[in-house]
Amino acid sequence: MKLQPSLVPACAVALAALLASARSVWQARAPWPLKPPAALSDGRPEKLARASELSCAPCHAAQVEEWAATTHALAWENEPYQEELVGRKKAESCHGCHAPVALHGALDALLAGKPQARADARHFGVSCESCHLATDGALLGPTGAATDEHATRKGTSFDAQGSNALCASCHRTTVGPVIGLARDFEQSAGAAAGATCVGCHMAPRAEVPVEGVGVEGRTRTVRSHSLQTPRDPAFLALGFELTLAHEPAGPTLRVRNLAGHRVPGLIGREIEFVATASDAALEELGRETLTLTTESYLRVDETLELALPARTARVRVLGRHHDPRMDKPVTFLERELGP
Ligand code: HEC
Ligand code: HEC
Ligand code: HEC
Ligand code: HEC
Ligand code: HEC
């Protein structure tokens, strides 16, 4: 097996060409063809049982239902988290991201510094109020739609670009098993071309009319609070572009990272591509494997190459995902490449 990162472009022209092509791939795929995520099969609780106790539940049932089945809702109750806390000194320093206070101060500015742990209702994990509540009691959202039920305000953390900073408040730090993915994202071609965490991780749920004068006929996208996760095979498959290239040195399988950050994005996970090569007469020539782990990961925007046997005309690629949080490895991709 030969595994080599694609050559680092030596001059600015090549770099510009690479960025432009990354941008065009990105634009061709934006918005991401997201669907509601498949149910998880990892034996954990499917959703936070106590979600219906949220004060928001009677009025925002759709958001509560979607959120309740995410690891944001389960960030406190999750077994992996509770197990890590056993016998740990200074566990309080962990709680700031797993059961945080409201992250916005007055008006709509994000609080500076590390998120702080909240004193009560920790079982709601990364709660509605963590993301939406401002210190003056107003609920911040994408439009700030007025209502008699509570004060609302339009917040920059909920418009297309501002939302990245909200996500980064917890996803920028490398701590315990966590990789600060937002740092990768900030340097990515996708970010430069307008990609967002929300655009890839919260699927569109509905198009609704924009309210106001002078915007008649315009619509905006309401997004689902269900998070798209790599444990959903269809979502994970969106993260890679596979091509069979005929290089002077011989046939090559190229695996390009289309995610907004490195893959895999959490310690302990493994992603494996098994390529079975055959010649023009469909005679099998051999098998090559490319494995992505915490140590040998696919960097943001990177393309890795896998050399194939000389007479390769077709290749069948199987993608397998090993996540210690799941009972067994999952096949997330099956593809035939050839003439
Ligand atoms: C800066 C915010 C932050 C702090 C502080 C933090 N975490 Fe996390 N934690 C996260 C994020 C974000 C994830 C999700 C990572 C992912 O899924 O890629 C996570 C995930 C985890 C997971 C994985 C849970 C699972 O579903 O498998 C464990 C376990 C965990 N954290 C333990 C800890 C421990 C122990 C501490 C304290 C030493 C800690 N965390 C402190 C943000 C944080
Ligand atoms: C991790 C942060 C986060 C959490 C937790 C969260 N939200 Fe949101 N919410 C967002 C973001 C980001 C948007 C805007 C998404 C978009 O349309 O771009 C949003 C949008 C909304 C909207 C506006 C929907 C619309 O018209 O577009 C409502 C209402 C809402 N959230 C309620 C809730 C409730 C209720 C909960 C708890 C069950 C919750 N949110 C939990 C981040 C969060
Ligand atoms: C008694 C009903 C009621 C309760 C309880 C309630 N809301 Fe609302 N909320 C509304 C209505 C009505 C609107 C305006 C229309 C809409 O966006 O649904 C609204 C608007 C919002 C918005 C603004 C969305 C935008 O347009 O930007 C957010 C964010 C929000 N609510 C979050 C919450 C959260 C979080 C809770 C719980 C802490 C909560 N609400 C509790 C009824 C309620
Ligand atoms: C208050 C801290 C916090 C904020 C803000 C936050 N997250 Fe998270 N996120 C977490 C934690 C903690 C976990 C992991 C919980 C666990 O596994 O126990 C997580 C997990 C995730 C996961 C992995 C889901 C899975 O099941 O594998 C994704 C994707 C994610 N967050 C996206 C986002 C996006 C997008 C935003 C911005 C809209 C955001 N997060 C904002 C703390 C946060
Ligand atoms: C261009 C689309 C795209 C963008 C932008 C993007 N992601 Fe991802 N994300 C993915 C894909 C695809 C995966 C699955 C690949 C993997 O398993 O690492 C993923 C996986 C994740 C995971 C799960 C890691 C794990 O194993 O639990 C987290 C957490 C996450 N992203 C957070 C973020 C945050 C935070 C941002 C913004 C700073 C962001 N993502 C931006 C596409 C994207």
Side-chain angles (χ1 to χ4, degrees), residues 71-72 75 78 97-98 100 103 126 166-167 170-171 201 229 231:
T71 44
H72 279 166
N78 246 339
C97 297
H98 288 259
L103 298 170
V126 180
L166 173 63
C167 311
C170 303
H171 286 274
H201 286 284
T229 91
R231 294 187 303 290

Side-chain angles (χ1 to χ4, degrees), residues 76 81-99 114-118 122 175:
W76 177 266
Y81 185 62
Q82 288 302 329
E83 280 165 9
E84 286 262 350
L85 295 182
V86 176
R88 185 180 282 273
K89 298 191 191 97
K90 300 202 191 137
E92 203 60 22
S93 74
C94 305
H95 303 340
C97 297
H98 288 259
K114 258 181 74 176
Q116 298 298 308
R118 63 173 182 271
R122 287 182 168 170
V175 50

Side-chain angles (χ1 to χ4, degrees), residues 54 56 60 63-64 67 72 126-128 131-132 142 157-158 163 166 198 202 220-223 225:
L54 280 169
C56 331
H60 297 290
Q63 285 86 355
V64 171
W67 166 88
H72 279 166
V126 180
S127 71
C128 317
C131 287
H132 286 288
S157 293
F158 304 90
S163 58
L166 173 63
V198 164
M202 292 172 78
R220 92 182 157 87
T221 306
V222 175
R223 292 183 175 271
H225 281 62

Side-chain angles (χ1 to χ4, degrees), residues 26 32 164 167-168 171 179 181-183 185-186 188 190-191 195-201 228-231 235-240 257-267 269 271 321 323 325:
W26 212 88
W32 271 40
N164 292 328
C167 311
H171 286 274
I179 298 166
L181 296 177
R183 288 175 195 267
F185 171 73
E186 285 156 11
S188 67
T196 60
C197 315
V198 164
C200 289
H201 286 284
Q228 303 278 328
T229 91
R231 294 187 303 290
F235 179 66
L236 185 52
L238 293 176
F240 308 97
N257 186 359
L258 296 181
H261 38 71
R262 78 188 59 191
V263 178
L266 185 67
I267 286 177
R269 291 176 45 217
I271 291 166
H321 180 207
D323 184 322
R325 298 170 292 183

